Amino acid sequence: MTTKHYLGVIEDLAIQLPSQERYQRLLHAIRQAIPCDAIALLKLNRDSLEPLAFQGLSPETLGRRFKIGQHPRLDQILSSHHLVRFDTDSSLPDPYDGLIDTPDHELHVHDCMGISIHINNQPWGVITLDALRPGQFDDVDPQQQQAAIALTRSVITAVERINLLEQQLSHGHDVTAELNRDQGGKEVIGNSPAITQLLKDIDTVAPTPLTVLIQGETGVGKENIAHRLHLQSNRVNQPLVQINCAALPEALAEAELFGHTKGAFTGADSERSGRFELADGGTLFLDEIGELPLPTQAKLLRALQEGEIQRAGSDHPIQVDVRIIAATNRDLKEEVKAGRFRADLYHRISVYPVTVPPLRERGNDVLMLAEFFLERDQHRLNLRKLTLDRTAKRALMAHTWPGNVRELEHLLSRAALKASSQHYPGFKSGSTAKAIVTIQPAHLGLEPSLTPEVQELHTQPALIPEKSLREATEDFQRDQILQALVRTQRNVSAAARLLKVDRSNLLRLIKRLEV
C-alpha cells in the first residue's frame, strides 16, 4: 500500500461518517496492505481493551472486554512501541479462541501480530492481525509493514480528533476527560435498534438538568442507565447518590431522604445528613420509586418543587441543588389510576421518560452480553477460554428471558461452573485449566421457551429427509474440508491441523469425497 493510498484513506475518514464506518474503512485498507483472515481494533478503557471494529471474528466479539494482565499476547502488543509478531507455535493463549470463523472456532497453528497505538504519548489501544496459514506474514515486505504501522497510527489519531471535535460541538464543553473516563463496570452492551435508540435518548437528555424517569422490567439494567446519564452530565465531577426506595421502612424513609437532628426520634443519637444533602450539586438516583409510601411521596414532591428540604426534627430549611433520576419496574400511570402513586409527583419525575427494552426484544444483543459475561467468568474460574457451542447459542436466542439481563448473567455463571466441572473432574474455582471449556445446552438447563414461533415449530409435522444419513454426513465433511482448504490455500498439512485429523486420513477423504 502506498503513502498516497493511505492519505486517501485519511481523507475519506475525515468526511461525515459514523465512527464505526471510519474504523471499518481503516481495517479494510490495512487488510489490502497486509492480507489476513482476521483483524481487530481494540481501544484501551482503563484496565481493559474493548473491540471497536473487527473483521473475520464473530459479531458477538463486541461484547468481550480483554482485561490487561489476563491476555499475554495483547499485553505484549500494548506495551511495545514496535510491531510484535508471535511464533506460529507460540504456547501463549490467543484472545480470539472461540471467536474466529474456523470449523471449531479455535485458532491452532497460525500467524499472529499486532501494533500498539499511542496518542499524545499515552497508550490508546492496539490493532491485531491473524492469518490461519502459518508464515503468511513472511510474504509482507518489512518496509511496507512499517509504513502501514506509522500511517495507521496517524489515521487513528485523526479519527479520534474528529470524534472529539464532534462531541465538543454536540455538548458545548470540553469532553476530553469524559472520553477517558470508564463506566465503572456499568456499561451498556449491545447494538440492537432498541438499545441504539435508548443510547440516543441518553445522549440527548444527559447534558441537561431535566429529571429522567427510567422505566423497564426487573433485571433490564436500569441502574446502568442511571450511571451513564450521570457520567454524561455536567455534574459528573459531583457525587451520584443512590437509594433503593423499596428498602426504605416507612418510619425511616423521611430521615433517610432528608436527614435528621439529634434526638429527632428514638435511636437518633446524633444529627445526620440525608441523601438529598449528600447529593447536593450532583445527582440523586431514586431506584424503585414506585415503592415509596404515599406520605413519603408528598414530602418528596415538596422537596422537588421548592428545591429545599428539612431534616426530621428541624424547622430550618436547607437549599439543595440536585438532579433527579428515578427508576421503576411498575407502570406508574396505572399506579396513579389505582391511587397508589401521586399524579403530581408522577408528572414531576417523568419530565423525560426513557424505557430500557427487555432482553427478548434485543435480538443478537443476547450473544454480545453472553460474551461479556463469559470473558469475566473465565478469569474468575482461571480458565484459558470459556465459549458457547452453536446449539447453546441457539438455545439462548430462543429463550424469552423473563429475568432479562440479570437472568442471563446468573445462568451463564452456573453453566460455566457446570461445564468446567464436567471438563475437569474435581475442578475447583481457583485452579488453573489450560484447555478451552465449551458450554453446551445441557449446562444451561433452559426449559424450552414456548413462544408462538417455537410452538408453531413444535406442532409442525416432521419433515422426511431427502438424503440418507450417510449422504448428509458426507456433504458436511466435504463442506468442512473445502472451507479448511480454502483458508489454508490448499495446504493439506495446515488444513489437517485445523480439522484436527491426521494428514494421511485427510488425503484419503479428499480423494474419496472428490473435494
Side-chain angles (χ1 to χ4, degrees), residues 254-497:
E254 180 183 355
E256 282 292 326
L257 287 170
F258 310 123
H260 60 79
T261 60
K262 181 178 180 179
F265 51 85
T266 303
D269 298 328
S270 62
E271 67 175 21
R272 181 188 177 194
S273 298
R275 302 303 175 95
F276 268 84
E277 284 184 78
L278 295 174
D280 189 26
T283 304
L284 179 60
F285 175 38
L286 301 171
D287 197 10
E288 301 298 348
I289 194 171
E291 308 300 324
L292 274 181
L294 283 169
T296 308
Q297 291 180 30
K299 295 174 182 177
L300 175 61
L301 177 64
R302 181 179 180 277
L304 298 182
Q305 288 175 331
E306 305 298 331
E308 64 179 31
I309 61 167
Q310 280 183 278
R311 289 182 176 180
S314 171
D315 295 328
H316 301 291
I318 300 174
Q319 294 291 321
V320 289
D321 173 23
V322 173
R323 197 249 182 110
I324 297 294
I325 298 175
T328 182
N329 60 5
R330 295 194 177 199
D331 184 338
L332 291 188
K333 289 182 179 179
E334 292 300 318
E335 294 295 297
V336 169
K337 291 179 181 177
R340 292 187 292 266
F341 200 85
R342 293 180 63 105
D344 44 8
L345 179 58
Y346 169 71
H347 293 298
R348 175 66 64 172
I349 64 173
S350 62
V351 177
Y352 199 104
V354 297
T355 300
V356 185
L359 189 54
R360 62 182 174 275
E361 295 178 3
R362 294 178 54 181
N364 286 330
D365 284 358
V366 172
L367 298 183
M368 286 181 59
L369 284 161
E371 293 296 337
F372 178 82
F373 295 131
L374 291 177
E375 180 72 25
R376 181 201 62 189
D377 289 341
Q378 75 187 29
H379 296 296
R380 286 181 175 178
L381 297 174
N382 282 334
L383 300 172
R384 173 188 163 190
K385 198 72 175 183
L386 192 57
T387 65
L388 292 162
D389 76 3
R390 293 180 182 180
T391 51
K393 289 180 180 180
R394 287 197 292 268
L396 294 180
M397 291 296 293
H399 191 54
T400 54
W401 301 110
N404 292 292
V405 178
R406 190 179 299 130
E407 179 188 358
L408 173 64
E409 178 182 9
H410 295 166
L411 180 142
L412 287 174
S413 294
R414 291 193 301 271
L417 190 56
K418 291 178 183 178
S420 303
S421 300
Q422 181 176 328
H423 197 94
Y424 297 97
F427 174 83
K428 294 181 180 179
S429 179
S431 59
T432 301
K434 295 183 178 180
I436 296 176
V437 174
T438 302
I439 293 175
Q440 300 173 350
H443 302 131
L444 298 174
L446 286 174
E447 293 293 329
S449 299
L450 295 180
T451 60
E453 295 80 3
V454 175
Q455 287 179 339
E456 183 180 350
L457 288 175
H458 277 278
T459 56
Q460 287 178 350
L463 298 176
I464 299 174
E466 298 178 358
K467 298 179 181 180
S468 67
L469 179 59
R470 178 179 176 180
E471 289 172 331
T473 301
E474 288 181 348
D475 282 349
F476 176 77
Q477 289 177 319
R478 188 179 292 108
D479 180 66
Q480 295 298 306
I481 292 171
L482 183 59
Q483 287 186 42
L485 290 172
V486 169
R487 292 186 178 281
T488 59
Q489 298 184 3
R490 298 199 71 85
N491 183 320
V492 177
S493 296
R497 286 192 291 269

Side-chain angles (χ1 to χ4, degrees), residues 144 180 483 514:
Q144 192 174 18
N180 295 323
Q483 287 186 42
E514 298 179 349

Side-chain angles (χ1 to χ4, degrees), residues 144-201:
Q144 192 174 18
Q145 286 184 357
Q146 293 303 320
I149 292 168
L151 288 169
T152 294
R153 288 170 174 157
S154 298
V155 170
I156 293 294
T157 301
V159 173
E160 282 301 292
R161 286 175 178 169
I162 292 168
N163 290 342
L164 178 60
L165 179 60
E166 289 176 346
Q167 293 192 42
Q168 287 175 338
L169 292 173
S170 172
H171 291 79
H173 63 284
D174 186 1
V175 295
T176 305
E178 294 170 33
L179 291 177
N180 295 323
R181 185 180 292 111
D182 72 300
Q183 297 291 320
K186 304 292 184 181
E187 287 186 82
V188 180
I189 305 293
N191 58 6
S192 62
I195 283 295
T196 300
Q197 182 57 53
L198 173 63
L199 295 178
K200 287 181 180 178
D201 287 339

Side-chain angles (χ1 to χ4, degrees), residues 235-246:
R235 297 172 180 254
V236 64
N237 294 318
Q238 300 301 319
L240 168 63
V241 177
Q242 178 176 346
I243 185 167
N244 185 344
C245 299

Side-chain angles (χ1 to χ4, degrees), residues 38 57 64 66 70-74 77 86-88 90-100 105-113 128-132 375 378 384-387 434 436:
L57 301 173
R64 289 271 174 170
F66 302 104
Q70 296 178 344
H71 295 279
R73 293 196 188 217
L74 294 178
I77 295 170
F86 300 93
D87 293 336
T88 55
S90 172
S91 61
L92 294 176
D94 196 289
Y96 304 134
D97 273 330
L99 300 172
I100 199 163
H105 294 289
E106 292 186 35
L107 283 164
H108 301 286
V109 177
H110 70 292
D111 244 1
C112 173
M113 66 180 185
T128 62
L129 300 93
D130 289 274
L132 298 179
E375 180 72 25
Q378 75 187 29
R384 173 188 163 190
K385 198 72 175 183
L386 192 57
T387 65
K434 295 183 178 180
I436 296 176

